Amino acid sequence: MTDETPFQIDGFCHLALVCSDMRRTVDFYSGLLGLPLVKTLELPDGGGQHFFFEVSPGSYLAFFWFPDAPDPVPGVSSAADMPGYGEITSAVGSMNHVAFTIPEDRFEDYKERLDAAGVRTGFILNHDDSPWGVAAKMHPGVFIRSLYFLDPDGILLELAAWTREIGPDEARHEPRTAADRTARVVPAEA
């Protein structure tokens, strides 16, 4: 940490999401993906549960189960589908997707495992700086490879592997502002 750094942030402690069925969530994240379930809490006054899965030492994926949580609204509270299959836009303040780091040489194996378990998966994508942001084949400009899939509650997940070092010269786009957006109006249910 330098004197100019306002906070010493060493990584993510946890990301907390909401599920509809904690048993199914444990089966998926611990049983299928192999993330150890390391901490469970019952919330006071029947308020629900809070469970933690270890992703790597000191980093956790946590889930709340609330007995009265509203149903998800794909395309608002989360992406409606996977890249290449449908709309990936979600609302301001929503959690769009969670990406897990994997070894680059395991994509095909992990895709086969997910497919065999009945999990709907997308394509293995080679992200690059081309106009479409994705290349059909690997090349030196590919900076990350991805495989997207959905958890039982429709949470968009990604298996990802960096394929090269990312340098400071790659942060070159001017940030857009609220004035640059046109908010999509979501019609109220009748």
Side-chain angles (χ1 to χ4, degrees), residues 78-184:
S78 63
D81 210 338
M82 294 179 277
Y85 286 95
E87 184 61 52
I88 63 166
T89 303
S90 59
V92 172
S94 67
M95 194 285 309
N96 187 270
H97 70 278
V98 178
F100 299 106
T101 302
I102 65 165
E104 188 179 352
D105 64 348
R106 302 302 300 269
F107 275 97
E108 286 77 13
D109 176 40
Y110 290 176
K111 180 172 177 25
E112 287 175 15
R113 288 182 191 194
L114 290 168
D115 290 341
V119 176
R120 184 171 163 253
T121 60
F123 309 104
I124 296 174
L125 300 176
N126 303 307
H127 298 280
D128 66 3
D129 291 322
S130 67
W132 287 100
V134 177
K137 296 183 180 185
M138 284 295 295
H139 64 83
V142 171
F143 58 91
I144 194 167
R145 296 188 82 204
S146 300
L147 171 64
Y148 294 91
F149 58 105
L150 300 171
D151 91 341
D153 282 306
I155 295 170
L156 183 58
L157 303 174
E158 174 186 0
L159 299 179
W162 294 105
T163 59
R164 63 177 174 80
E165 290 291 320
I166 302 298
D169 62 326
E170 295 189 61
R172 57 185 172 267
H173 297 90
E174 188 64 31
R176 300 284 180 103
T177 69
D180 296 320
R181 56 185 292 269
T182 305
R184 184 183 324 159

Side-chain angles (χ1 to χ4, degrees), residues 2-23:
T2 66
D3 291 337
E4 295 84 37
T5 304
F7 297 94
Q8 181 180 347
I9 297 177
D10 298 323
F12 286 95
C13 176
H14 67 276
L15 172 65
L17 305 171
V18 178
C19 68
S20 65
D21 183 321
M22 191 63 85
R23 166 57 50 210

